[in-house]
Amino acid sequence: MEVGKLTVTLRNEGNKGKGAARRLRAQGLVPGVCYGASPDGRIDPVSITVNVKALRAALDPVRKTNTVINLTIEGGAAERSLHALVKDYQVDAIRRDITHVDLLAIDPNKEVLAPVPLEFVGKPKGAIDGGQIRIVLRSLEVRAKPSDIPVKLVVDVSPLEIGDVVHVSTIELPAGVTAVTGRDLAVVTCAAPEEEKAAAATAEGAAGAEGAAAAAAPDAKAAAPAAGKDAKAAPAAKAAAPAKPAAKK
């Protein structure tokens, strides 16, 4: 197994379905599909079986899924060789194992779409006033020839003050690389310290509630004795009431 080289096998009808997929995974294999275009023309989707360990070994540890793979497809009438990229892969939500792989056949001399990770460096000027970095995008979709796809794009956040925003249009791209992600989208911003604002608002609200309770307390205390005085006066009033004259015979 070498970096940039991978051999896969055509998957026949008997190796399709959930049961077949489980049997493949028990052997360290996963189902996949290969489609796209090559210098010879369009490639219709073909079902393949991929060795996960061999796939990981074929990927450059730096370029990762943007590694151009020399792909060999075995199992047909004739062995087929082409160039490919890992277009997509599915991962089991619990076991975190790869469960399916999509390989995109490419023409090395033609542009392709690929995601490129963003790396943020520097400390923003706004940090002096408590500003905090808020990352909106962590990768950009670009168009470039496979050999021109950058490993990463570096974004310097040092000049940012509170309220400043870096947009896609301001990121410097290498020659031959064009951003497909919307130019006006925000990538990163230096925001005001929201947690401090929230804490201040909470403290202010608590102080206001405490003051209102203290202001209401004297009225409640004054009302209590008055109620007691009235309660004691009631029996006396009842006792002072004149007796009714006896009825005449």
Side-chain angles (χ1 to χ4, degrees), residues 65-69 83-88 102-106 112-114 146 149:
T65 55
N66 286 335
T67 303
V68 177
I69 300 172
H83 294 89
L85 294 171
V86 177
K87 178 65 176 178
D88 193 15
D102 287 13
L103 297 178
L104 177 68
I106 60 170
V112 296
L113 298 179
I149 299 173

Side-chain angles (χ1 to χ4, degrees), residues 171-213:
I171 295 178
E172 187 175 349
L173 301 175
V177 179
T178 305
V180 176
T181 305
R183 290 174 53 83
D184 296 330
L185 290 179
V187 174
V188 61
T189 180
C190 183
E194 296 178 356
E195 294 182 358
E196 292 183 11
K197 287 183 177 180
T202 302
E204 184 179 348
E210 185 178 350

Side-chain angles (χ1 to χ4, degrees), residues 17-249:
K18 292 183 178 179
R22 283 194 294 269
R23 290 192 294 272
L24 287 175
R25 294 184 188 110
Q27 305 171 52
L29 307 173
V30 295
V33 63
C34 181
Y35 56 90
S38 72
D40 301 330
R42 192 82 187 161
I43 295 178
D44 293 329
V46 292
S47 297
I48 56 176
T49 299
V50 182
N51 183 305
V52 176
K53 187 176 180 180
L55 173 63
R56 287 186 171 131
L59 299 180
D60 183 288
V62 177
R63 301 187 69 86
K64 298 182 180 178
T65 55
N66 286 335
T67 303
V68 177
I69 300 172
N70 293 319
L71 184 68
T72 300
I73 302 177
E74 296 179 337
E79 195 173 87
R80 188 172 188 179
S81 297
L82 46 85
H83 294 89
L85 294 171
V86 177
K87 178 65 176 178
D88 193 15
Y89 58 90
Q90 285 79 53
V91 177
D92 184 273
I94 298 174
R95 297 190 302 272
R96 308 308 298 167
D97 297 330
I98 293 177
T99 59
H100 192 277
V101 179
D102 287 13
L103 297 178
L104 177 68
I106 60 170
D107 182 341
N109 299 313
K110 292 185 178 180
E111 293 182 333
V112 296
L113 298 179
V116 177
L118 298 173
E119 180 180 320
F120 301 92
V121 299
K123 184 176 182 179
K125 289 181 178 179
I128 298 174
D129 299 321
Q132 299 176 347
I133 284 295
R134 295 284 184 266
I135 296 174
V136 182
L137 297 178
R138 294 191 177 273
S139 67
L140 288 189
E141 188 87 3
V142 304
R143 183 189 301 277
K145 290 182 179 180
S147 58
D148 292 335
I149 299 173
V151 172
K152 62 184 177 182
L153 295 170
V154 178
V155 181
D156 184 8
V157 300
S158 301
L160 297 185
E161 297 185 358
I162 292 179
D164 288 347
V165 181
V166 174
H167 295 91
V168 172
S169 58
T170 61
I171 295 178
E172 187 175 349
L173 301 175
V177 179
T178 305
V180 176
T181 305
R183 290 174 53 83
D184 296 330
L185 290 179
V187 174
V188 61
T189 180
C190 183
E194 296 178 356
E195 294 182 358
E196 292 183 11
K197 287 183 177 180
T202 302
E204 184 179 348
E210 185 178 350
D219 295 338
K221 290 179 181 178
K229 185 177 180 180
D230 293 342
K232 291 178 181 178
K238 185 175 182 181
K244 291 182 180 181
K248 292 181 179 181
K249 292 182 181 179

